[in-house]
């Protein structure tokens, strides 16, 4: 089969690989029909994720059709259409019983990280019964591919951890796909203000279309002064960091109001300063999280009921043969105006 393989920092290639086989009774083999590229894949290519070693097939998002199941899988059968969770969960270990599927003793974020992932024609999914979701009849597969990772990530790590509440003020630093996913799902809670901060005017324009009440290009305007002027000098109740570099995490510390919350979502490959010298008395909370995908069933229902339309995040489409061009397009989003790219067989 064809697969996109990580070859070390800065290097990747489309290769021929053997089709995966059932290894454990709870496995399923899924034929991929739609996959996509995540910002985390770009972090891997930069060398920010040391657990992902050269030779790994990348990708942790997608939808597909069951090709084969192990003898322990009774919930799915060949031919079933499924949504693949970016997080693999056994459902029975101590972390899974606490809803922390991302820290599953035999799973977690392993796809495209420590086992081969979804940017291929086929993928092996361990713990299939608790790591796959049936796709409703007539559902848009492209839209549901956005529920593998970015929608639950923006919602759980940003909105829920950030304690977004009715009437609250929210700032989201980073208007890429994850920041926009947080923007879309923050509106479930009717905050009074959602301020998007980025250096890309195109993405800020998209954010306004998606429901942002104000936007700031931090390359052209002092974001802290702008936000403080809109909040009577206080700052915002919730700041969501959706980039993953030291400068944006430090910006969040300047934006948060006393009693507020900084919810980190971005994947950080380098240390960032924490200014406790001025924050120690501000009654703030700082949260970190790897998505657990506990919200996926709820998000599926919101998509089915048309309360949420993840397809608005899709800007480009490619075939698997063109995945190198897809990476180039996604990696140069400022020039290509890419948000999410969809890759089909």
């Amino acid at each position: 089969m064809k697969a996109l393989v990580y070859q070390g920092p800065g290097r990747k290639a489309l290769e021929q690989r053997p089709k995966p086989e059932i290894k454990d009774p709870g496995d399923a083999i899924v034929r991929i029909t739609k996959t996509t590229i995540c910002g985390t894949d770009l972090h891997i290519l930069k060398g920010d994720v040391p657990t992902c070693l050269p030779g790994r097939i990348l990708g942790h998002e997608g939808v597909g059709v069951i090709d084969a199941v192990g003898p322990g899988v009774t919930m799915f059968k060949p031919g079933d259409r499924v949504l693949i969770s970016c997080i693999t969960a056994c459902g029975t270990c101590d972390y899974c019983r606490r809803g922390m599927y991302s820290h599953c003793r035999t799973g977690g974020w392993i796809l495209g990280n420590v086992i081969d992932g979804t940017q291929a024609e086929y993928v092996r999914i361990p713990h299939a019964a608790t790591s796959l979701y049936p796709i409703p009849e007539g559902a848009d597969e492209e839209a549901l591919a956005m529920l593998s990772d970015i929608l639950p990530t923006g919602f759980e790590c940003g909105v829920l951890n950030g304690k977004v509440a009715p009437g609250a003020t929210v700032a989201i630093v980073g208007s890429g796909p994850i920041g926009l996913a947080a923007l879309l799902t923050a509106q479930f809670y009717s905050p009074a203000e959602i301020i998007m901060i980025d250096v890309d005017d195109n993405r800020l324009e998209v954010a306004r279309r998606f429901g942002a009440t104000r936007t700031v290009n931090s390359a052209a305007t002092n974001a802290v002064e702008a936000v403080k002027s809109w909040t009577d000098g206080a700052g915002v109740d919730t700041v969501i960091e959706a980039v993953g570099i030291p400068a944006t995490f430090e910006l969040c510390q300047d934006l948060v109001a006393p009693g507020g919350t900084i919810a980190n979502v971005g994947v950080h490959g380098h240390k960032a300063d924490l200014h406790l010298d001025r924050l120690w008395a501000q009654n703030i909370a700082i949260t970190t999280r790897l998505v657990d995908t506990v919200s996926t069933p709820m998000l599926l229902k919101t998509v089915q009921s048309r309360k949420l339309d993840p397809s608005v995040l899709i800007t480009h489409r490619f075939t698997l043969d063109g995945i190198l061009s897809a990476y180039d397009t996604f990696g140069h989003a400022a020039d290509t105006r890419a948000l999410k790219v969809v890759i089909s067989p």
Side-chain angles (χ1 to χ4, degrees):
M1 68 172 187
K2 290 176 285 190
L4 192 283
V5 179
Y6 172 59
Q7 297 182 326
R11 296 184 292 119
K12 60 190 179 298
L14 187 64
E15 298 182 5
Q16 283 290 330
R17 286 294 186 91
K19 179 182 172 183
E21 298 178 348
I22 299 292
K23 291 184 178 179
D24 298 308
D27 288 352
I29 306 300
V30 178
R31 175 173 58 83
I32 297 295
T33 56
K34 307 288 180 185
T35 187
T36 185
I37 301 170
C38 180
T40 306
D41 296 321
L42 300 185
H43 279 282
I44 289 172
L45 287 167
K46 289 194 295 184
D48 289 346
V49 184
T51 51
C52 186
L53 300 177
R56 180 67 58 224
I57 297 172
L58 294 182
H60 51 267
E61 302 167 88
V63 297
V65 178
I66 298 286
D67 182 72
V69 296
V73 179
T74 58
M75 185 175 176
F76 298 105
K77 64 184 185 303
D80 287 347
R81 297 164 65 230
V82 290
L83 166 67
I84 299 167
S85 174
C86 66
I87 298 297
T88 302
C90 74
T92 58
C93 72
D94 53 340
Y95 282 118
C96 284
R97 287 176 179 271
R98 291 162 58 189
M100 292 176 62
Y101 302 147
S102 61
H103 291 272
C104 173
R105 296 285 186 180
T106 54
W109 174 40
I110 58 175
L111 285 175
N113 178 14
V114 297
I115 69 170
D116 287 335
T118 59
Q119 290 170 13
E121 294 182 88
Y122 293 86
V123 63
R124 181 180 69 92
I125 304 295
H127 303 308
T130 42
S131 305
L132 298 172
Y133 296 89
I135 292 180
E137 190 66 32
D140 180 351
E141 286 192 357
E142 286 192 347
L144 292 190
M146 304 299 105
L147 268 63
S148 285
D149 184 356
I150 62 166
L151 262 299
T153 295
F155 181 58
E156 294 175 17
C157 305
V159 176
L160 294 185
N161 265 18
K163 302 178 178 64
V164 174
T169 52
V170 179
I172 301 174
V173 180
S175 193
I178 288 290
L180 293 171
L183 166 64
L184 291 170
T185 53
Q187 293 171 71
F188 291 162
Y189 295 94
S190 300
E193 294 268 18
I194 307 179
I195 303 165
M196 297 295 292
I197 301 170
D198 204 285
V199 297
D200 186 326
D201 283 328
N202 172 64
R203 288 190 165 185
L204 292 174
E205 180 184 342
V206 172
R208 288 191 290 272
R209 292 205 310 268
F210 287 6
T213 56
R214 299 179 190 268
T215 60
V216 184
N217 184 324
S218 56
T221 302
N222 186 306
V224 176
E225 290 180 1
V227 170
K228 291 291 182 72
S229 71
W230 297 328
T231 55
D232 296 323
V236 293
D237 301 310
T238 298
V239 192
I240 297 172
E241 198 287 331
V243 180
I245 60 174
T248 51
F249 181 72
E250 292 185 41
L251 174 60
C252 291
Q253 297 173 57
D254 294 329
L255 296 173
V256 67
T261 301
I262 298 172
N264 182 83
V265 184
V267 177
H268 289 268
H270 302 279
K271 67 178 183 178
D273 289 336
L274 176 62
H275 294 285
L276 283 177
D277 53 319
R278 54 185 174 79
L279 294 175
W280 70 271
Q282 295 301 299
N283 292 48
I284 68 163
I286 299 173
T287 66
T288 66
R289 184 173 182 173
L290 182 59
V291 63
D292 293 301
T293 67
V294 292
S295 65
T296 301
M298 181 277 288
L299 292 171
L300 270 167
K301 291 179 181 178
T302 65
V303 173
Q304 286 178 262
S305 64
R306 302 184 186 278
K307 302 293 185 185
L308 179 67
D309 180 10
S311 67
V312 297
L313 294 164
I314 300 167
T315 55
H316 294 74
R317 293 167 177 84
F318 298 86
T319 64
L320 185 57
D321 284 332
I323 194 169
L324 296 178
S325 295
Y327 264 90
D328 188 60
T329 297
F330 186 68
H332 294 87
D335 299 320
T336 62
R337 300 193 171 189
L339 292 174
K340 289 297 281 185
V341 302
V342 170
I343 300 160
S344 304

